[in-house]
Amino acid sequence: MENTLRRRAFLKMMAKGLFVSSGLLVYPSLGWSEDAMGYAFEGQSLLHKKYYIKAVQVLKKSVNLDPESDWAQGLLGRAYAGLGQKAEAVVAFRNAIRINPGDTYSRMMIAEMTQKPITGTQKEKKPLTPLEKKALEEEEVMLNRLNAKKGLGYNVKRVVIDAGHGGFDPGAVGQSGLKEKDVTLDIALKLNTKLNSIGKIKSFLTRTGDYYMPLSARTVTANQHQADLFISIHINANNKRSANGSETYFCSKKASSSEAEKVAALENSVLKFDETHKKKPGYINIEEILFRFEQKLYWTESGKFAKTFQDRFKKNLPFRSRGVHSANFYVLRRAKMPSILLETGFISNSSNEEMLKKPAFRDKIVDSIARGIS
Ligand SMILES: [Zn+2]
C-alpha cells in the first residue's frame, strides 16, 4: 500500500506542473529511478515509445523490487505482449490480477492472448471476432456487477479537471478581449480547490497555469491519475453572436448534429500542433482492440454524466440550457474513464461574455459542476 501512496504523491506532483509546456513529463531528480516506482515510470514511457525490449528490462527490475505492484506487472505484461512473448505476458497479467482482482484490463488481455495468436501487425481494422464479442459481453457483466455493488450509478472518487486551451492557444476570444483559456483556468482552479476542500473527492488538474498542453497529454494525465471522471472545461463561440447558453458534450464517433460537429472541430483545431496523435500506419496493437471495448462502455456512461451536469446548469445558471450533445472530441477520445466536455456560455455573445467576466458568475459555474459531481 505504501507503494500506492508514493505513486499518488508522484502523480500529485505531476499535477502541480511537472509537465513542461511541450507536454513532456519532466522527472524530478528525487531518486525515483532508483526504486520500483521509478523503474515502472521509465518502463511506461519506453512502452509508449514501443521500445519493448528496453521496457521489459526496466519493468523486470521494477517487479523484482516490488512484486506486489499490479501496475508494474500490468506494464510488464504489455511490454511482453509488444514483443510477442505470449507466455511471459500472460504470467505478468496473471500476477496483476492476483494482486488486483479488479484489473479487468489484464483479464481481457489474458483472454485475448490465450485464445488467439498475436500478430505484431495487422493490415486493417476487422469486424469483431466471436471471441472479441465474448470479451465485450464479459466486460459488460463485470461492469454491471461493479455498478450493482456501488448502488445506483457510478461512484466518483477521483476526478481530473481540464482547463481548456492555454499558452499560445487562447481558445475563443470575446468581443471585449476576454479569452477562453483564462476563464477555463480560473474555473478549473476554483473547482479543484472546492472539491479538495470538501474532501470526499480527490481532484487533479491537467494544467495549473497559462501554458499550452497537447490534447493527448491531458488525457494521459487523466488516465495516469486513474480518475473516475474527466471533465474538460470550455467556453463556446459561434459566428452567430446571438448564440448563448450552456451545453454539455460527451464523446461519440459521429456527431449528434452538424452544430455539435462544428463545436468539436473548434475544440480539436489545436490538434495540428500535436504530433502524437498521428497514427503509425499498419500498426494496430492488441491494446487498441481491447480499448475499443472499454471505450464504448465509457462513452455510454459519459452520456449519463453529461445529462446530470446539464440538468445542474439548467437549474443553477441564469441562461439558456442548450442540452446534451455528442461529437468526436480528441481530448475525450482516449480517456479510460467517463469523460465530458462542458461549454459554459458563449464568449462570442456579449451578454454571456459580460457574465463570464464576473467572479460571482464563475463561482456559480463552479458550484454547479461540483454539485454535478457529487
Ligand atoms: Zn475550448
Side-chain angles (χ1 to χ4, degrees):
M1 284 305 104
E2 193 207 343
N3 200 33
T4 314
L5 289 174
R6 263 160 59 202
R7 182 174 171 220
R8 295 261 155 92
F10 186 89
L11 291 170
K12 214 168 163 184
M13 284 165 60
M14 271 171 45
K16 284 191 177 144
L18 284 165
F19 274 103
V20 293
S21 57
S22 68
L24 290 171
L25 178 62
V26 179
Y27 287 91
S29 48
L30 296 173
W32 291 103
S33 62
E34 293 305 311
D35 62 22
M37 190 54 49
Y39 285 131
F41 267 107
E42 202 187 327
Q44 188 181 44
S45 150
L46 290 165
L47 199 56
H48 284 158
K49 290 180 205 146
K50 310 204 191 304
Y51 296 153
Y52 297 122
I53 296 173
K54 273 191 178 169
V56 164
Q57 287 167 355
V58 170
L59 289 164
K60 268 165 98 177
K61 285 185 194 168
S62 179
V63 300
N64 281 340
L65 285 167
D66 179 11
E68 292 307 300
S69 164
D70 56 325
W71 178 54
Q73 295 280 11
L75 289 174
L76 181 60
R78 284 162 57 184
Y80 275 130
L83 283 176
Q85 287 179 240
K86 218 158 67 166
E88 289 85 352
V90 168
V91 168
F93 286 127
R94 287 225 166 95
N95 281 332
I97 294 168
R98 176 181 52 76
I99 301 159
N100 174 15
D103 185 348
T104 56
Y105 187 85
S106 292
R107 203 176 52 78
M108 285 175 67
M109 287 297 277
I110 290 175
E112 188 73 16
M113 299 184 77
T114 49
Q115 292 169 61
K116 204 178 93 180
I118 296 167
T119 49
T121 52
Q122 283 169 299
K123 270 188 191 140
E124 56 194 336
K125 284 187 181 175
K126 282 183 264 171
L128 296 185
T129 65
L131 173 71
E132 286 166 344
K133 272 187 195 148
K134 212 179 142 211
L136 178 61
E137 278 165 22
E138 271 184 35
E139 180 73 355
E140 242 156 345
V141 169
M142 193 81 164
L143 202 85
N144 288 338
R145 217 180 290 153
L146 277 172
N147 279 341
K149 238 199 263 173
K150 286 174 188 162
L152 268 182
Y154 193 95
N155 198 0
V156 177
K157 286 194 177 132
R158 300 166 72 79
V159 54
V160 167
I161 303 159
D162 173 46
H165 312 278
F168 72 82
D169 170 25
V173 181
Q175 293 165 71
S176 78
L178 186 67
K179 290 176 184 140
E180 181 183 358
K181 67 169 182 178
D182 297 326
V183 184
T184 58
L185 180 63
D186 188 42
I187 291 171
L189 290 172
K190 282 179 176 156
L191 179 61
N192 184 57
T193 308
K194 187 176 185 116
L195 290 174
N196 282 327
S197 72
I198 295 169
K200 282 183 186 161
I201 293 157
K202 284 294 278 173
S203 163
F204 307 89
L205 293 161
T206 53
R207 72 174 173 103
T208 54
D210 184 18
Y211 48 85
Y212 171 67
M213 188 179 227
L215 297 179
S216 57
R218 295 168 194 255
T219 327
V220 165
T221 305
N223 291 345
Q224 287 187 329
H225 279 296
Q226 299 178 317
D228 308 307
L229 179 63
F230 176 62
I231 301 175
S232 189
I233 299 170
H234 291 260
I235 310 294
N236 222 333
N238 198 301
N239 287 336
K240 277 187 222 140
R241 293 262 157 100
S242 58
N244 72 95
S246 65
E247 21 187 60
T248 304
Y249 284 87
F250 65 99
C251 200
S252 64
K253 227 172 213 167
K254 271 197 175 164
S256 55
S257 69
S258 61
E259 274 301 303
E261 202 169 347
K262 275 182 207 158
V263 173
L266 202 65
E267 302 299 4
N268 290 342
S269 61
V270 75
L271 204 56
K272 57 179 177 281
F273 300 107
D274 190 350
E275 288 298 305
T276 54
H277 76 284
K278 282 176 188 154
K279 271 191 196 158
K280 289 178 185 69
Y283 189 91
I284 296 175
N285 65 16
I286 193 157
E287 282 190 45
E288 199 54 42
I289 298 165
L290 293 165
F291 181 64
R292 278 208 315 242
F293 300 145
E294 295 175 20
Q295 206 173 37
K296 238 179 140 182
L297 298 168
Y298 298 141
W299 288 359
T300 308
E301 207 62 34
S302 301
K304 294 181 200 162
F305 271 111
K307 195 186 172 307
T308 310
F309 280 83
Q310 193 55 38
D311 285 350
R312 274 283 152 206
F313 287 157
K314 194 175 178 180
K315 241 179 169 173
N316 296 11
L317 298 183
F319 52 34
R320 222 182 121 200
S321 163
R322 302 168 61 95
V324 170
H325 311 274
S326 69
N328 202 342
F329 290 91
Y330 190 81
V331 72
L332 304 181
R333 205 161 69 194
R334 307 294 305 175
K336 295 187 171 185
M337 71 219 55
S339 57
I340 52 169
L341 187 140
L342 310 175
E343 298 276 5
T344 56
F346 280 75
I347 215 161
S348 49
N349 175 272
S350 49
S351 112
N352 276 194
E353 187 186 6
E354 280 313 306
M355 283 195 248
L356 287 163
K357 280 182 192 168
K358 296 194 172 86
F361 183 69
R362 292 181 190 180
D363 286 342
K364 251 188 193 155
I365 295 173
V366 169
D367 190 60
S368 305
I369 303 173
R371 279 164 193 264
I373 297 169
S374 50

